[in-house]
Amino acid sequence: GGEAGALHLEDVLWSRILQLDEASREIVELVAVASAPLEKGMAATTLRQRFADFVRRVGHLRLVKLVQTRGVRKGDRIELFHDRVRRAVLAHLGPAKRRNYHERLALAFEGRPNAAPEMLAIHWGGAGDGQRAFHYTKVAALEADRVLAFDRAARLHRRSLDLLPADSREGTAIRARLGDALVNAGRGSEAANAYLAAAQEASECVVELYAKA
């Protein structure tokens, strides 16, 4: 059926990727892990490839329909030719290698002045750094609140709670902000649950303080 056909196509794509030299394969793997178009200059730097060599390799990758790109400047973007290329790569990429690419992307994005905090959160999370992922998810949630993107803010506040470090005291405040975002998004019953959870956590904290006193 359709699923078997898709799996067969991904096998065909992977065999095509395996025929590449290592430096070209790394380009495909990096863009697959990025899950979003990357600036060519940044991709080349992240992979420690000379830009002229990078551009030559990308030219070949375009010919074999693994990536697509416009222009030859460092600021022009590169992305995979099709989502099936991404699926083929991610299905065969080991966890250590995947973490390494996430870490390299996180460091590359962190060095840029206008990096999206949500992107940093995704890549630090993928690199296994929960503390940094939590920090940038919080920043992204507050930014979404500020620009009145309340559904996105609610999703990010929830993600912050998932990433909350065990010793953190921020859960109550995040649940309250989640409640505010849900109210503003017109999701009243969900907001009530968030406020209730915040109130319960706050009262538990008070009990804990009295117990220690």
Side-chain angles (χ1 to χ4, degrees), residues 2-207:
E3 196 174 324
L7 286 170
H8 174 66
L9 177 59
E10 282 163 33
D11 288 339
V12 170
L13 287 166
W14 181 244
S15 66
R16 196 184 297 172
I17 292 161
L18 282 178
Q19 286 162 22
L20 300 168
D21 63 88
E22 189 181 351
S24 298
R25 190 161 73 241
E26 282 187 345
I27 295 171
V28 179
E29 289 172 350
L30 181 79
V31 181
V33 172
S35 293
L38 287 177
E39 285 184 16
K40 288 181 183 173
M42 179 182 154
T45 304
T46 303
L47 292 170
R48 303 182 189 93
Q49 296 186 17
R50 280 180 58 241
F51 190 66
D53 295 334
F54 177 86
V55 168
R56 178 176 50 75
R57 290 175 186 124
V58 166
H60 174 67
L61 293 171
R62 283 182 62 184
L63 280 176
V64 295
K65 292 193 165 22
L66 290 170
V67 304
Q68 53 186 339
T69 177
R70 291 185 188 84
V72 292
R73 293 168 306 179
K74 290 189 175 184
D76 291 324
R77 293 176 182 260
I78 177 172
E79 59 188 309
L80 295 181
F81 187 78
H82 195 282
D83 198 52
R84 284 203 176 119
V85 178
R86 176 176 293 107
R87 289 205 292 268
V89 171
L90 296 182
H92 293 87
L93 206 58
K97 212 168 184 190
R98 198 186 289 214
R99 272 198 305 276
N100 180 261
Y101 281 125
H102 275 299
E103 186 174 356
R104 286 161 81 171
L105 284 163
L107 289 167
F109 276 115
E110 211 166 46
R112 298 166 78 82
N114 300 318
E118 193 169 354
M119 191 67 77
L120 282 160
I122 288 166
H123 290 308
W124 279 124
D129 191 327
Q131 196 78 41
R132 277 173 163 149
F134 172 63
H135 166 73
Y136 284 113
T137 304
K138 265 195 319 178
V139 172
L142 293 172
E143 199 175 88
D145 279 329
R146 191 172 50 78
V147 298
L148 314 182
F150 297 120
D151 281 313
R152 187 157 69 89
R155 176 174 60 76
L156 288 163
H157 286 310
R158 281 207 168 104
R159 179 87 183 113
S160 297
L161 290 169
D162 289 341
L163 292 165
L164 192 72
D167 59 350
S168 175
R169 296 278 183 186
E170 292 184 70
T172 305
I174 294 170
R175 283 187 175 87
R177 285 197 289 267
L178 169 61
D180 293 346
L182 289 165
V183 165
N184 288 320
R187 293 157 65 183
S189 62
E190 289 177 73
N193 289 335
Y195 287 135
L196 185 63
Q200 283 172 340
E201 187 167 324
S203 63
E204 282 167 19
C205 286
V206 170
V207 168

